[in-house]
Amino acid sequence: MCGIVGYIGNKQAYPILIKGLHRLEYRGYDSSGVALINDKNEINVYKTKGKVEDLEKYASDKDLSGTIGIAHTRWATHGEPNDSNAHPHYSQSKSLAIIHNGIIENYAIIKKDLIKRGYEFKSDTDTEVLVQLIEHIKEKNNVDLTKAVQLALTQAVGAYAIAVIEKGNPNQIVAARKASPLVIGVGDDEFFLASDATPFVEYTKKVIYLNDEEIATITRNDEVHIRTISDVEKTPELKEIEMSLNELEKGGFPHFMLKEIHEQPKRIAEAMRGRININHDNVALSGIIDNKDKFLNAKRIIIVACGTSWHAGLIGEYLLEEFTRIPVEVEYASEFRYRNPIINKDDIVIAISQSGETADTLAAVELARKKGAFVYGICNVIGSSIPRNTDSGTYTHVGPEIGVASTKAFTAQVTVLALISLTIANMKGSLDKKRYKELIDELATIPAKMEETLKTNENIQKIAPIFTYAKNFIYLGRGYNYPVALEGALKLKEISYIHAEGYPAAEMKHGPIALIDAEMPVVFIAPHKGMYEKTLSNIEEVKARKGRIFSIVTKGDNVVSKVSDYSIEIPETEECFVPLLATIPLQLLAYHIAIMKGCNVDQPRNLAKSVTVE
Ligand code: G6P
């Protein structure tokens, strides 16, 4: 959460920082700010509550000169979103300015001590405490900025990605990280730093990923120098990233979310490319094959994830158990990490995360590794923390996902889980060859079927206004479609602020049925495959209580659609792949309802895409 960006080079920093903040707004958007060192070597800080565009308005008549600067877009943790809590924060004498993503957990103790020493605080944030501490240490020990940051961080408990600049020192940014992402972009005579590479992708593809407890001293016209907090010198490792600028633009769509929904056929095809062979008789994921013995001997698979990725994990449970016959458990990473779970050496832990940075999932990975499990990652963002902290893994390769509500990342995670299940099943011989090939043949048709499914967009757009009155929604599905119901409900909640609950359809009778009346929209995922008749009975039960039924049915269905008030057809496919299609109309339904309600679908209130605090 929170996006940070920094620049030092020959160009004016402000326009680069502002553009960078816009690209990082998905990480938080309740307030933002910038600090620049001007030609007189003074630090100017401009910050305000609201989005980056509010900052631009606020700063428009200010001195924006300077070729070095740092900037921040905030998702509040300590202190309400207001002007004074916005970053950057000055130190007492205004000789330093800091930006920070994370939480300094022991800030209260440090603050108390600094207050005793005469420091005054202008905000309620933990971040201001850190910058005051750095200033205090710098003055007391008469050390340079890097050393002061290093000494201060030995006292700080918590998570951070920080960048600090100093008055009178226009040639240096000092940055550090622990459990919050930070990447340095290395250009020609210029450096960038940011929470991810999106702010500087048009300037350089060369990056250095900072590791936990590392401090980088970034000096104009010099190399990046890295030391650890415990003062060990490190050699920076330069890496190339693959990302193009048009992946970061809306490409003619009004919102990133709609663009990302429509990208799914292409992206899912990319997620399968090179992994399914031309004859469709082999699926090969190197991460699995290179660790064949681990997977063949696995007694149990535990999937850990949060949010939408957890829903993908639930579908993974169905896929893995059906095809590999290995028992699977799916856990919220936040629960798993704190409940002293039983993990054995022959367990495999699969961590699913779009961003690869979710604090709870990362902590679950660390715990599982400590307990000796083999840990496998399914992530989208290349070079992010989870892939760098797992034993092996598979990237989903869907390009940057910018809409805060996850769409293409989810279907790609499910696709990768299907590929993993098929790869293991083939290695184990738990699936007969004919069935194995049938499944691969069908999986390969999914991108074209997704394309067909997207044609429902117009119809859904027409139906959506009818539901804007609703205060509640229920989503119901069975088997593979139970997690789809959860995901459909989450999408609606996230972006339209309508309360929605997903349930296994049969569970409806154990409570939710009491809520059903003529006002209650009930969304059924009711394809021909699986427990069609049983789901039909559940639909009848809702109908009898006058609920308003919106159903997702298989093309040509004339039974469920007759009972439903509204129905959307998806192409026929194998039961295990229905989630890849059925999710799309639910993404579109949430999108159109939110648009009709005038909500900001790409940046819903209170949410952030990358949850780097627990
Ligand atoms: C946040 C996002 C969700 C996402 C979840 C897990 O809540 O808003 O869209 O599913 O984090 O994120 P991850 O990056 O680990 O998949």
Side-chain angles (χ1 to χ4, degrees):
M1 313 188 119
C2 299
I4 69 173
V5 51
Y7 176 78
I8 181 165
N10 303 326
K11 304 187 180 88
Q12 283 299 303
Y14 180 75
I16 294 171
L17 295 173
I18 287 292
K19 197 156 34 131
L21 285 186
H22 276 298
R23 298 227 180 109
L24 291 178
E25 250 184 324
Y26 74 86
R27 303 180 67 87
Y29 31 80
D30 59 43
S31 50
S32 62
V34 56
L36 300 157
I37 301 184
N38 68 9
D39 306 339
K40 293 179 210 127
N41 280 342
E42 299 155 340
I43 302 178
N44 286 318
V45 170
Y46 309 117
K47 53 185 189 170
T48 185
K49 184 180 170 179
K51 304 214 163 184
V52 178
E53 60 185 26
D54 298 304
L55 173 66
E56 285 178 272
K57 276 182 218 142
Y58 171 76
S60 60
D61 58 349
K62 310 281 191 302
D63 171 12
L64 299 175
S65 65
T67 55
I68 168 172
I70 53 177
H72 187 272
T73 178
R74 183 167 187 248
W75 187 92
T77 55
H78 289 67
E80 66 168 285
N82 59 25
D83 295 353
S84 48
N85 288 336
H87 300 210
H89 291 282
Y90 276 125
S91 59
Q92 179 101 334
S93 70
K94 294 198 171 174
S95 68
L96 305 178
I98 193 171
I99 49 172
H100 170 215
N101 168 28
I103 296 178
I104 304 301
E105 288 168 8
N106 59 339
Y107 81 103
I109 304 167
I110 301 173
K111 189 171 180 175
K112 215 165 147 194
D113 181 59
L114 288 168
I115 289 172
K116 266 197 229 144
R117 293 173 191 275
Y119 281 82
E120 285 170 14
F121 289 83
K122 298 196 164 47
S123 78
D124 310 316
T125 65
D126 50 331
T127 306
E128 193 186 10
V129 175
L130 188 57
V131 74
Q132 303 278 42
L133 179 66
I134 296 169
E135 177 171 296
H136 171 65
I137 288 174
K138 194 168 180 305
E139 284 173 1
K140 192 173 104 195
N141 301 312
N142 195 21
V143 289
D144 68 10
L145 183 59
T146 305
K147 193 72 196 170
V149 168
Q150 189 187 40
L151 293 174
L153 291 178
T154 55
Q155 295 186 33
V157 177
Y160 49 78
I162 57 165
V164 191
I165 54 172
E166 184 181 21
K167 184 177 169 180
N169 185 1
N171 297 320
Q172 208 165 65
I173 301 177
V174 174
R177 78 155 265 179
K178 184 181 176 192
S180 289
L182 191 60
V183 54
I184 299 167
V186 181
D188 294 333
D189 304 322
E190 58 186 355
F191 294 105
F192 306 81
L193 64 94
S195 303
D196 67 36
T198 55
F200 54 76
V201 62
E202 65 262 55
Y203 303 104
T204 183
K205 301 268 192 287
K206 289 192 208 120
V207 299
I208 299 168
Y209 292 106
L210 221 54
N211 292 312
D212 275 354
E213 307 208 337
E214 284 182 352
I215 303 167
T217 309
I218 306 165
T219 310
R220 200 187 294 272
N221 302 325
D222 191 6
E223 285 169 357
V224 174
H225 293 276
I226 300 180
R227 305 192 79 77
T228 64
I229 290 172
S230 44
D231 210 27
V232 178
E233 197 173 336
K234 293 274 171 153
T235 311
E237 230 184 288
L238 211 59
K239 299 219 158 122
E240 284 274 324
I241 47 155
E242 277 175 40
M243 195 188 284
S244 72
L245 195 56
N246 56 14
E247 286 182 315
L248 304 175
E249 283 161 359
K250 289 186 195 143
F253 286 92
H255 300 97
F256 281 109
M257 183 180 177
L258 194 61
K259 176 192 172 210
E260 287 158 5
I261 291 172
H262 280 83
E263 269 177 3
Q264 288 175 106
K266 183 173 145 236
R267 295 303 192 174
I268 296 313
E270 279 164 10
M272 293 194 268
R273 185 162 305 139
R275 293 165 171 176
I276 295 182
N277 72 348
I278 294 182
N279 299 334
H280 293 176
D281 54 12
N282 194 36
V283 179
L285 286 178
S286 55
I288 305 287
I289 289 164
D290 294 349
N291 297 288
K292 191 172 174 182
D293 288 348
K294 295 269 175 211
F295 284 91
L296 287 182
N297 297 322
K299 296 265 177 315
R300 182 173 64 147
I301 293 176
I302 305 168
I303 298 178
V304 291
C306 302
T308 287
S309 298
W310 183 76
H311 295 158
L314 291 177
I315 298 172
E317 178 179 15
Y318 286 86
L319 286 162
L320 283 160
E321 289 201 343
E322 179 172 353
F323 300 138
T324 73
R325 306 310 295 152
I326 302 171
V328 178
E329 286 168 28
V330 188
E331 298 228 25
Y332 285 117
S334 54
E335 291 298 316
F336 177 83
R337 63 181 287 199
Y338 285 119
R339 66 169 186 79
N340 194 13
I342 298 164
I343 305 170
N344 301 310
K345 293 220 165 17
D346 42 16
D347 285 339
I348 291 180
V349 172
I350 299 182
I352 308 177
S353 173
Q354 185 286 129
S355 62
E357 299 291 350
T358 301
D360 284 320
T361 312
L362 188 54
V365 163
E366 278 160 13
L367 176 72
R369 289 194 74 184
K370 229 183 260 163
K371 294 207 172 208
F374 179 79
V375 185
Y376 199 88
I378 300 176
C379 296
N380 189 39
V381 179
I382 294 167
S384 55
S385 299
I386 293 173
R388 289 191 295 132
N389 283 288
T390 39
D391 295 300
S392 186
T394 302
Y395 280 116
T396 46
H397 286 311
V398 292
E401 189 181 65
I402 294 169
V404 165
S406 187
T407 53
K408 62 176 179 175
F410 172 75
T411 43
Q413 289 164 345
V414 176
T415 304
V416 164
L417 284 159
L419 295 172
I420 290 176
S421 307
L422 289 169
T423 307
I424 303 173
N426 191 35
M427 283 180 343
K428 279 189 76 174
S430 51
L431 202 58
D432 80 65
K433 284 278 170 208
K434 188 167 158 277
R435 183 75 186 125
Y436 177 65
K437 176 155 176 37
E438 268 170 22
L439 288 165
I440 301 173
D441 278 336
E442 184 55 26
L443 188 56
T445 69
I446 291 294
K449 290 183 178 173
M450 283 180 150
E451 203 69 73
E452 207 183 322
T453 307
L454 283 167
K455 293 190 186 134
T456 59
N457 183 41
E458 231 173 85
N459 215 352
I460 296 171
Q461 190 172 8
K462 280 191 206 131
I463 299 170
I466 301 164
F467 287 113
T468 49
Y469 76 90
K471 297 261 181 298
N472 300 287
F473 257 76
I474 295 178
Y475 285 69
L476 301 171
R478 299 182 80 133
Y480 279 97
N481 295 315
Y482 155 51
V484 175
L486 295 179
E487 176 58 11
L490 179 64
K491 285 295 87 98
L492 189 73
K493 269 188 274 217
E494 282 180 307
I495 61 170
S496 76
Y497 318 138
I498 296 174
H499 171 245
E501 295 285 348
Y503 267 92
E507 274 294 303
M508 178 184 68
K509 284 200 277 296
H510 302 286
I513 200 163
L515 300 169
I516 292 168
D517 60 15
E519 298 277 286
M520 177 66 92
V522 185
V523 176
F524 275 97
I525 301 107
H528 272 157
K529 294 285 164 57
M531 285 162 283
Y532 176 71
E533 280 80 18
K534 294 202 183 297
T535 309
L536 184 58
S537 309
N538 298 139
I539 295 175
E540 293 288 3
E541 287 155 11
V542 171
K543 186 84 188 162
R545 286 153 186 89
K546 300 196 166 44
R548 303 182 80 176
I549 297 162
F550 177 101
S551 59
I552 308 291
V553 298
T554 306
K555 199 169 178 182
D557 178 287
N558 53 17
V559 180
V560 170
S561 45
K562 259 196 207 127
V563 198
S564 306
D565 297 278
Y566 310 95
S567 58
I568 293 295
E569 290 190 342
I570 57 170
E572 170 127 37
T573 187
E574 288 280 351
E575 185 187 357
C576 59
F577 301 140
V578 169
L580 292 169
L581 303 180
T583 305
I584 293 176
L586 302 184
Q587 295 167 343
L588 290 167
L589 182 68
Y591 172 82
H592 288 297
I593 291 177
I595 293 293
M596 290 310 301
K597 292 190 72 187
C599 302
N600 183 339
V601 293
D602 280 341
Q603 295 174 349
R605 71 182 179 210
N606 304 338
L607 295 181
K609 188 151 189 71
S610 184
V611 182
T612 52
V613 294
E614 50 172 298

